[in-house]
Structures are given as C-alpha cells and as structure tokens.
Amino acid sequence: MLKPGDTIGILGGGQLARMMALAAAPLGLKCHIFAPEGDNPAFDVAAAHTVAGYEDAAALKAFAAAVSVVTYEFENVPATTADILSAQVPVLPAPRALAITQDRWTEKSFIRDLGLAVPDFVAVSSVEELEAALVRLGRPSVLKTRRLGYDGKGQAIIRDDVTAQAAWDAIGRAPAILEAFVPFEREVSVVAARSLSRDVVAYDVCENRHAHHILAETVLPAAISAKTEQAAKDAARQIAEALDYVGVFAVEFFVAGFGDQEALSVNEIAPRVHNSGHWTLGGAETSQFEQHIRAVAGWPLGSVKRLGRISMENLIGDDVMRWPELLAEPGLVVEIYGKREARPGRKMGHFTRVIR
Ligand code: AMP
C-alpha cells in the first residue's frame, strides 16, 4: 500500500496520464511519466518524467527504481516492457490483463469463455481463410486486425460490394478476426474499478455516440432497461474478477433490440481509464482518474454516485477553439489537454454538462 508522498509511475504521456496525475496530486501522491519522444501533455503536470522508448531496458529499470507502482494509460504496452518492470516493481493492472486485451482473438475468446455474449467471430490469417469465414458469418461482417486497432483503425466492414481481397488489403493483410455484424440500437459502456482488496464498483452505464469511429458524445442515464443496466454492470464485475484486475477499466457493449428484447454483447475491454468515463470528472463523486489512482495505490475506492443527468462531448481537432464560449457557461466542466497542435481527429479536450 502506498503512502502520501509516494510516486506512481505511468507509462504514456497523453491526456489520460495527465488527468491521472492531476487526480493524484490532491491525494499527496506524485507521478513520474515514462513516454517516448513526442507531444506529452502529461509532462506539464507531473513531478518527474523520462523520455525513452518502451524497449529501452536501462531507462525502464531506472524508472522502476524511482516509483512505488507502475500503471499505464494505454493497452498496447509491449509485453517485454511489462516484464522488465514487473521484475522490479508492482505493475497494476497486472500484465495478464494487457496480454489478453491486446489481441482481439484472445480477448473475445476470454469473454465468451466466461459465458458472456460476444458477436460470433472467427480468426483469419489469409484471404482464403477470410473467404471461408465470410461463408460462415455472412455479410455484412466486420474484419478487424487482432492487434493495435483503435478508434476504427485496422477495421473494414465487408458489405456486398466489397471483395474479400479488397478488405484483406485494406487492413494491411495482418492476422485478424472476422466478426458478425451486430445491428445494434446503441453502444453503451461500463466504467468500473476493482481494488487490491477485491472490492468492485461500477459507474452507471454510459451511452456513447461515435463520429468517424471516434467517441463524440457520452450521455447518462443510458436509454436502456434497469435489467440491461444491471446485466452490464454484472458483466463488468465478472470480467474484473476473472482477470484478478486492479484499477479502472471499461467494457464496451452493443445493445440490440428494445425494452424486454434488449440483448447485450461485449465489443471490447479497455484495461485503463476510458474516454467514456470522462464525465465522472465533475459528474460523479469520485472521478475515474482518482478511482484508478486509489486502486493502484492499494487504497479504498471512492463513491461512484452520479451527480445528475450527464452529457460529455469530446473536443476533436479545431473544436477546441470553442474554449472561450464553453468557459463562459456557468457550471460546465471543461478540460483542455494542452496539446501543441490541433490536428484533425485528435482529442484536444472535452466538456461535461451535469444537470442536477
Ligand atoms: P472497435 O474498434 O471494435 O471498438 O469498433 C469501432 C466501432 O465500429 C464500434 O464502436 C462500432 O460502431 C463499429 N463496430 C465494431 N464491431 C462491430 C460489429 N461487430 N457490428 C457492428 N458494428 C461494429
């Protein structure tokens, strides 16, 4: 268990690390950020930082020696990085959660083996296997690379007018899964946390709207039945327990049908704080960032009580230029990430409206 004054190491220097470091400060904890060269907005708010590659063993060892625990802001931490660090210092969540969720096939197999619904899926590693999988799953279906996909990258929807070869080329001919297309009504997620002493808390279910494969807006409460809300939270708990997880994570679901006919299927697990949980900063008694810091410090979890009806919007690219107008709105929670350049599609900030 950490004490105030101790230092948490964070792999990655983006907005998620920045908001974690900002949440650690009032608890008396320091953060040391480890990130490769680049625009690392977390450096501005952290006690220390190291600029080095994730393969730099000497830099990783020095970093591990300087911190009491290591956590991360993204799931694609190389396995060797996690191994080097965990030989020296606790890494939370444990590297096993990374290993399972880094690969869409192992992730979906893990979820299905828990008895939870996932869209039907097949592993494919050649265009011939893709042809066979298309016969089995039909069209439309969704081809996704097993590794390193996010925000719709490494993905192709195969409709009637797309050949297997074209889809295979589009994702870069990398090992993939073909997934049945889910005609969903809405996409929802649960942000939850599990502590070292195995307590689990789940925030209310968020409903998410995407634009160009990037999260645009999150609203709460989600327009789903109480039964579906509970089933989503129960699924999150089951996943956390099966992974012996410590920290904050998100589970994304598709919801097909309405009312009594609603059916949930799990799309993916994010083993970290998540964009659909940004509303908790100002919209819940404990933010997901503070919750994660508490969990990896070995401390008790905070209240997940929601403070009202919520809408959170991302500021993508030039949207961030709206800051003067947003800051003029009383009570609006505005977070600007301090990135140097507002490139199209880049997450520059977000704001949350809480209607009490
Ligand atoms: P992912 O990277 O797996 O989260 O997918 C990005 C987005 O693509 C999702 O948020 C959905 O909007 C869409 N999508 C992914 N998988 C499916 C599917 N099996 N059926 C329908 N839409 C999907």
PDB file of all heavy atoms in Angstrom, residues 104 119 142 144 150-152 155 179-182 184 187 210 213 252 254 267-268, ligand 1:
ATOM      1  N   ARG A 104      -7.454  -9.157 -30.174  1.00  0.00           N
ATOM      2  CA  ARG A 104      -8.917  -9.265 -30.213  1.00  0.00           C
ATOM      3  C   ARG A 104      -9.393 -10.717 -30.160  1.00  0.00           C
ATOM      4  O   ARG A 104     -10.496 -10.983 -29.698  1.00  0.00           O
ATOM      5  CB  ARG A 104      -9.466  -8.620 -31.487  1.00  0.00           C
ATOM      6  CG  ARG A 104      -9.370  -7.112 -31.499  1.00  0.00           C
ATOM      7  CD  ARG A 104     -10.103  -6.597 -32.730  1.00  0.00           C
ATOM      8  NE  ARG A 104      -9.828  -5.209 -33.004  1.00  0.00           N
ATOM      9  CZ  ARG A 104     -10.518  -4.182 -32.507  1.00  0.00           C
ATOM     10  NH1 ARG A 104     -11.520  -4.399 -31.685  1.00  0.00           N
ATOM     11  NH2 ARG A 104     -10.207  -2.953 -32.836  1.00  0.00           N
ATOM     12  N   PRO A 119     -20.250 -10.957 -30.273  1.00  0.00           N
ATOM     13  CA  PRO A 119     -20.616 -11.264 -31.658  1.00  0.00           C
ATOM     14  C   PRO A 119     -19.828 -12.505 -32.104  1.00  0.00           C
ATOM     15  O   PRO A 119     -18.685 -12.676 -31.694  1.00  0.00           O
ATOM     16  CB  PRO A 119     -20.151 -10.027 -32.432  1.00  0.00           C
ATOM     17  CG  PRO A 119     -19.985  -8.942 -31.411  1.00  0.00           C
ATOM     18  CD  PRO A 119     -19.657  -9.621 -30.116  1.00  0.00           C
ATOM     19  N   VAL A 142     -17.535  -7.715 -40.072  1.00  0.00           N
ATOM     20  CA  VAL A 142     -16.508  -6.716 -39.778  1.00  0.00           C
ATOM     21  C   VAL A 142     -15.168  -7.420 -39.605  1.00  0.00           C
ATOM     22  O   VAL A 142     -15.036  -8.328 -38.795  1.00  0.00           O
ATOM     23  CB  VAL A 142     -16.859  -5.926 -38.488  1.00  0.00           C
ATOM     24  CG1 VAL A 142     -15.898  -4.752 -38.308  1.00  0.00           C
ATOM     25  CG2 VAL A 142     -18.297  -5.427 -38.523  1.00  0.00           C
ATOM     26  N   LYS A 144     -11.338  -7.163 -38.475  1.00  0.00           N
ATOM     27  CA  LYS A 144     -10.541  -6.321 -37.565  1.00  0.00           C
ATOM     28  C   LYS A 144      -9.179  -6.971 -37.343  1.00  0.00           C
ATOM     29  O   LYS A 144      -9.112  -8.175 -37.087  1.00  0.00           O
ATOM     30  CB  LYS A 144     -11.219  -6.223 -36.189  1.00  0.00           C
ATOM     31  CG  LYS A 144     -12.630  -5.681 -36.210  1.00  0.00           C
ATOM     32  CD  LYS A 144     -13.217  -5.649 -34.795  1.00  0.00           C
ATOM     33  CE  LYS A 144     -14.607  -5.052 -34.807  1.00  0.00           C
ATOM     34  NZ  LYS A 144     -15.213  -4.977 -33.465  1.00  0.00           N
ATOM     35  N   TYR A 150      -7.554   0.696 -32.939  1.00  0.00           N
ATOM     36  CA  TYR A 150      -8.317   1.552 -32.028  1.00  0.00           C
ATOM     37  C   TYR A 150      -9.030   2.605 -32.859  1.00  0.00           C
ATOM     38  O   TYR A 150      -8.635   2.901 -33.983  1.00  0.00           O
ATOM     39  CB  TYR A 150      -7.435   2.213 -30.960  1.00  0.00           C
ATOM     40  CG  TYR A 150      -6.507   3.273 -31.503  1.00  0.00           C
ATOM     41  CD1 TYR A 150      -6.821   4.610 -31.400  1.00  0.00           C
ATOM     42  CD2 TYR A 150      -5.337   2.914 -32.149  1.00  0.00           C
ATOM     43  CE1 TYR A 150      -5.985   5.580 -31.927  1.00  0.00           C
ATOM     44  CE2 TYR A 150      -4.506   3.871 -32.679  1.00  0.00           C
ATOM     45  CZ  TYR A 150      -4.838   5.209 -32.555  1.00  0.00           C
ATOM     46  OH  TYR A 150      -4.013   6.158 -33.083  1.00  0.00           O
ATOM     47  N   ASP A 151     -10.111   3.164 -32.293  1.00  0.00           N
ATOM     48  CA  ASP A 151     -10.887   4.201 -32.976  1.00  0.00           C
ATOM     49  C   ASP A 151     -11.140   3.842 -34.447  1.00  0.00           C
ATOM     50  O   ASP A 151     -11.037   4.676 -35.340  1.00  0.00           O
ATOM     51  CB  ASP A 151     -10.177   5.576 -32.893  1.00  0.00           C
ATOM     52  CG  ASP A 151     -10.286   6.188 -31.491  1.00  0.00           C
ATOM     53  OD1 ASP A 151     -11.076   5.675 -30.684  1.00  0.00           O
ATOM     54  OD2 ASP A 151      -9.597   7.174 -31.230  1.00  0.00           O
ATOM     55  N   GLY A 152     -11.462   2.573 -34.700  1.00  0.00           N
ATOM     56  CA  GLY A 152     -11.849   2.156 -36.047  1.00  0.00           C
ATOM     57  C   GLY A 152     -10.678   1.906 -36.989  1.00  0.00           C
ATOM     58  O   GLY A 152     -10.872   1.550 -38.150  1.00  0.00           O
ATOM     59  N   GLN A 155      -9.683  -1.715 -39.431  1.00  0.00           N
ATOM     60  CA  GLN A 155     -11.020  -2.314 -39.487  1.00  0.00           C
ATOM     61  C   GLN A 155     -11.675  -2.091 -40.831  1.00  0.00           C
ATOM     62  O   GLN A 155     -11.507  -1.025 -41.414  1.00  0.00           O
ATOM     63  CB  GLN A 155     -11.884  -1.586 -38.459  1.00  0.00           C
ATOM     64  CG  GLN A 155     -12.401  -2.520 -37.418  1.00  0.00           C
ATOM     65  CD  GLN A 155     -13.388  -1.840 -36.517  1.00  0.00           C
ATOM     66  OE1 GLN A 155     -14.515  -1.615 -36.913  1.00  0.00           O
ATOM     67  NE2 GLN A 155     -12.957  -1.524 -35.332  1.00  0.00           N
ATOM     68  N   GLU A 179     -15.831 -10.725 -37.700  1.00  0.00           N
ATOM     69  CA  GLU A 179     -16.846 -10.674 -36.655  1.00  0.00           C
ATOM     70  C   GLU A 179     -18.203 -10.474 -37.299  1.00  0.00           C
ATOM     71  O   GLU A 179     -18.323  -9.707 -38.259  1.00  0.00           O
ATOM     72  CB  GLU A 179     -16.511  -9.458 -35.799  1.00  0.00           C
ATOM     73  CG  GLU A 179     -17.001  -9.498 -34.399  1.00  0.00           C
ATOM     74  CD  GLU A 179     -16.501  -8.270 -33.661  1.00  0.00           C
ATOM     75  OE1 GLU A 179     -15.340  -8.264 -33.230  1.00  0.00           O
ATOM     76  OE2 GLU A 179     -17.281  -7.317 -33.547  1.00  0.00           O
ATOM     77  N   ALA A 180     -19.223 -11.150 -36.790  1.00  0.00           N
ATOM     78  CA  ALA A 180     -20.580 -10.939 -37.305  1.00  0.00           C
ATOM     79  C   ALA A 180     -20.973  -9.487 -37.067  1.00  0.00           C
ATOM     80  O   ALA A 180     -20.627  -8.904 -36.037  1.00  0.00           O
ATOM     81  CB  ALA A 180     -21.553 -11.867 -36.589  1.00  0.00           C
ATOM     82  N   PHE A 181     -21.662  -8.890 -38.005  1.00  0.00           N
ATOM     83  CA  PHE A 181     -22.142  -7.518 -37.867  1.00  0.00           C
ATOM     84  C   PHE A 181     -23.322  -7.525 -36.895  1.00  0.00           C
ATOM     85  O   PHE A 181     -24.244  -8.323 -37.026  1.00  0.00           O
ATOM     86  CB  PHE A 181     -22.584  -6.980 -39.228  1.00  0.00           C
ATOM     87  CG  PHE A 181     -22.973  -5.535 -39.202  1.00  0.00           C
ATOM     88  CD1 PHE A 181     -22.001  -4.546 -39.334  1.00  0.00           C
ATOM     89  CD2 PHE A 181     -24.297  -5.160 -39.039  1.00  0.00           C
ATOM     90  CE1 PHE A 181     -22.357  -3.213 -39.303  1.00  0.00           C
ATOM     91  CE2 PHE A 181     -24.651  -3.817 -39.008  1.00  0.00           C
ATOM     92  CZ  PHE A 181     -23.678  -2.837 -39.139  1.00  0.00           C
ATOM     93  N   VAL A 182     -23.278  -6.625 -35.910  1.00  0.00           N
ATOM     94  CA  VAL A 182     -24.369  -6.549 -34.937  1.00  0.00           C
ATOM     95  C   VAL A 182     -25.263  -5.359 -35.290  1.00  0.00           C
ATOM     96  O   VAL A 182     -24.793  -4.220 -35.273  1.00  0.00           O
ATOM     97  CB  VAL A 182     -23.818  -6.357 -33.499  1.00  0.00           C
ATOM     98  CG1 VAL A 182     -24.943  -6.278 -32.493  1.00  0.00           C
ATOM     99  CG2 VAL A 182     -22.832  -7.459 -33.159  1.00  0.00           C
ATOM    100  N   PHE A 184     -26.968  -3.100 -34.010  1.00  0.00           N
ATOM    101  CA  PHE A 184     -27.271  -2.588 -32.668  1.00  0.00           C
ATOM    102  C   PHE A 184     -28.095  -1.309 -32.710  1.00  0.00           C
ATOM    103  O   PHE A 184     -28.066  -0.572 -33.690  1.00  0.00           O
ATOM    104  CB  PHE A 184     -25.980  -2.389 -31.870  1.00  0.00           C
ATOM    105  CG  PHE A 184     -24.996  -1.431 -32.495  1.00  0.00           C
ATOM    106  CD1 PHE A 184     -25.144  -0.060 -32.365  1.00  0.00           C
ATOM    107  CD2 PHE A 184     -23.901  -1.907 -33.208  1.00  0.00           C
ATOM    108  CE1 PHE A 184     -24.227   0.817 -32.928  1.00  0.00           C
ATOM    109  CE2 PHE A 184     -22.983  -1.034 -33.779  1.00  0.00           C
ATOM    110  CZ  PHE A 184     -23.150   0.331 -33.642  1.00  0.00           C
ATOM    111  N   GLU A 187     -24.717   1.931 -28.498  1.00  0.00           N
ATOM    112  CA  GLU A 187     -23.482   1.436 -27.906  1.00  0.00           C
ATOM    113  C   GLU A 187     -23.389   2.022 -26.498  1.00  0.00           C
ATOM    114  O   GLU A 187     -23.605   3.215 -26.307  1.00  0.00           O
ATOM    115  CB  GLU A 187     -22.274   1.887 -28.729  1.00  0.00           C
ATOM    116  CG  GLU A 187     -22.228   1.239 -30.092  1.00  0.00           C
ATOM    117  CD  GLU A 187     -20.968   1.588 -30.862  1.00  0.00           C
ATOM    118  OE1 GLU A 187     -19.931   0.954 -30.627  1.00  0.00           O
ATOM    119  OE2 GLU A 187     -21.027   2.508 -31.701  1.00  0.00           O
ATOM    120  N   HIS A 210     -20.589   7.733 -31.610  1.00  0.00           N
ATOM    121  CA  HIS A 210     -19.310   7.922 -32.294  1.00  0.00           C
ATOM    122  C   HIS A 210     -19.516   8.707 -33.579  1.00  0.00           C
ATOM    123  O   HIS A 210     -20.570   8.647 -34.193  1.00  0.00           O
ATOM    124  CB  HIS A 210     -18.682   6.559 -32.641  1.00  0.00           C
ATOM    125  CG  HIS A 210     -18.340   5.748 -31.426  1.00  0.00           C
ATOM    126  ND1 HIS A 210     -19.256   4.939 -30.796  1.00  0.00           N
ATOM    127  CD2 HIS A 210     -17.204   5.643 -30.724  1.00  0.00           C
ATOM    128  CE1 HIS A 210     -18.678   4.365 -29.746  1.00  0.00           C
ATOM    129  NE2 HIS A 210     -17.437   4.771 -29.684  1.00  0.00           N
ATOM    130  N   HIS A 213     -15.762   6.976 -36.221  1.00  0.00           N
ATOM    131  CA  HIS A 213     -15.112   5.968 -35.366  1.00  0.00           C
ATOM    132  C   HIS A 213     -14.481   6.535 -34.098  1.00  0.00           C
ATOM    133  O   HIS A 213     -13.782   5.830 -33.391  1.00  0.00           O
ATOM    134  CB  HIS A 213     -14.036   5.190 -36.144  1.00  0.00           C
ATOM    135  CG  HIS A 213     -14.621   4.259 -37.164  1.00  0.00           C
ATOM    136  ND1 HIS A 213     -15.298   3.120 -36.808  1.00  0.00           N
ATOM    137  CD2 HIS A 213     -14.648   4.310 -38.506  1.00  0.00           C
ATOM    138  CE1 HIS A 213     -15.696   2.506 -37.895  1.00  0.00           C
ATOM    139  NE2 HIS A 213     -15.329   3.211 -38.947  1.00  0.00           N
ATOM    140  N   GLU A 252     -17.060  -2.166 -23.272  1.00  0.00           N
ATOM    141  CA  GLU A 252     -17.964  -1.594 -24.272  1.00  0.00           C
ATOM    142  C   GLU A 252     -18.906  -2.675 -24.776  1.00  0.00           C
ATOM    143  O   GLU A 252     -18.469  -3.800 -25.043  1.00  0.00           O
ATOM    144  CB  GLU A 252     -17.161  -1.043 -25.455  1.00  0.00           C
ATOM    145  CG  GLU A 252     -16.255   0.111 -25.082  1.00  0.00           C
ATOM    146  CD  GLU A 252     -15.509   0.633 -26.309  1.00  0.00           C
ATOM    147  OE1 GLU A 252     -16.174   0.975 -27.302  1.00  0.00           O
ATOM    148  OE2 GLU A 252     -14.276   0.654 -26.262  1.00  0.00           O
ATOM    149  N   PHE A 254     -22.543  -3.636 -27.280  1.00  0.00           N
ATOM    150  CA  PHE A 254     -23.606  -3.310 -28.232  1.00  0.00           C
ATOM    151  C   PHE A 254     -24.933  -3.685 -27.572  1.00  0.00           C
ATOM    152  O   PHE A 254     -25.009  -4.714 -26.895  1.00  0.00           O
ATOM    153  CB  PHE A 254     -23.470  -4.129 -29.514  1.00  0.00           C
ATOM    154  CG  PHE A 254     -22.179  -3.893 -30.255  1.00  0.00           C
ATOM    155  CD1 PHE A 254     -21.359  -4.959 -30.597  1.00  0.00           C
ATOM    156  CD2 PHE A 254     -21.797  -2.612 -30.628  1.00  0.00           C
ATOM    157  CE1 PHE A 254     -20.165  -4.754 -31.292  1.00  0.00           C
ATOM    158  CE2 PHE A 254     -20.609  -2.398 -31.322  1.00  0.00           C
ATOM    159  CZ  PHE A 254     -19.801  -3.471 -31.649  1.00  0.00           C
ATOM    160  N   ASN A 267     -18.327  -5.744 -26.891  1.00  0.00           N
ATOM    161  CA  ASN A 267     -17.460  -5.408 -28.016  1.00  0.00           C
ATOM    162  C   ASN A 267     -16.001  -5.491 -27.585  1.00  0.00           C
ATOM    163  O   ASN A 267     -15.237  -6.253 -28.164  1.00  0.00           O
ATOM    164  CB  ASN A 267     -17.803  -4.017 -28.562  1.00  0.00           C
ATOM    165  CG  ASN A 267     -16.870  -3.596 -29.700  1.00  0.00           C
ATOM    166  OD1 ASN A 267     -16.313  -4.452 -30.390  1.00  0.00           O
ATOM    167  ND2 ASN A 267     -16.677  -2.310 -29.884  1.00  0.00           N
ATOM    168  N   GLU A 268     -15.627  -4.723 -26.566  1.00  0.00           N
ATOM    169  CA  GLU A 268     -14.234  -4.849 -26.123  1.00  0.00           C
ATOM    170  C   GLU A 268     -14.037  -4.377 -24.699  1.00  0.00           C
ATOM    171  O   GLU A 268     -14.882  -3.699 -24.132  1.00  0.00           O
ATOM    172  CB  GLU A 268     -13.267  -4.156 -27.076  1.00  0.00           C
ATOM    173  CG  GLU A 268     -13.448  -2.680 -27.218  1.00  0.00           C
ATOM    174  CD  GLU A 268     -12.480  -2.097 -28.260  1.00  0.00           C
ATOM    175  OE1 GLU A 268     -11.617  -2.823 -28.775  1.00  0.00           O
ATOM    176  OE2 GLU A 268     -12.591  -0.896 -28.533  1.00  0.00           O
TER     177      GLU A 268
HETATM  178  P1  AMP B   1     -13.999  -1.316 -32.179  1.00  0.00           P
HETATM  179  O1  AMP B   1     -12.679  -0.777 -32.604  1.00  0.00           O
HETATM  180  O2  AMP B   1     -14.049  -2.809 -32.143  1.00  0.00           O
HETATM  181  O3  AMP B   1     -14.488  -0.698 -30.893  1.00  0.00           O
HETATM  182  O4  AMP B   1     -15.049  -0.849 -33.284  1.00  0.00           O
HETATM  183  C1  AMP B   1     -15.251   0.517 -33.598  1.00  0.00           C
HETATM  184  C2  AMP B   1     -16.703   0.760 -33.984  1.00  0.00           C
HETATM  185  O5  AMP B   1     -17.067   0.006 -35.146  1.00  0.00           O
HETATM  186  C3  AMP B   1     -17.684   0.333 -32.911  1.00  0.00           C
HETATM  187  O6  AMP B   1     -17.828   1.335 -31.937  1.00  0.00           O
HETATM  188  C4  AMP B   1     -18.946   0.109 -33.742  1.00  0.00           C
HETATM  189  O7  AMP B   1     -19.597   1.332 -34.006  1.00  0.00           O
HETATM  190  C5  AMP B   1     -18.400  -0.467 -35.043  1.00  0.00           C
HETATM  191  N1  AMP B   1     -18.399  -1.949 -34.942  1.00  0.00           N
HETATM  192  C6  AMP B   1     -17.375  -2.705 -34.486  1.00  0.00           C
HETATM  193  N2  AMP B   1     -17.695  -4.004 -34.480  1.00  0.00           N
HETATM  194  C7  AMP B   1     -18.954  -4.102 -34.967  1.00  0.00           C
HETATM  195  C8  AMP B   1     -19.852  -5.197 -35.203  1.00  0.00           C
HETATM  196  N3  AMP B   1     -19.490  -6.463 -34.961  1.00  0.00           N
HETATM  197  N4  AMP B   1     -21.081  -4.890 -35.678  1.00  0.00           N
HETATM  198  C9  AMP B   1     -21.438  -3.622 -35.950  1.00  0.00           C
HETATM  199  N5  AMP B   1     -20.643  -2.554 -35.759  1.00  0.00           N
HETATM  200  C10 AMP B   1     -19.412  -2.779 -35.273  1.00  0.00           C
END
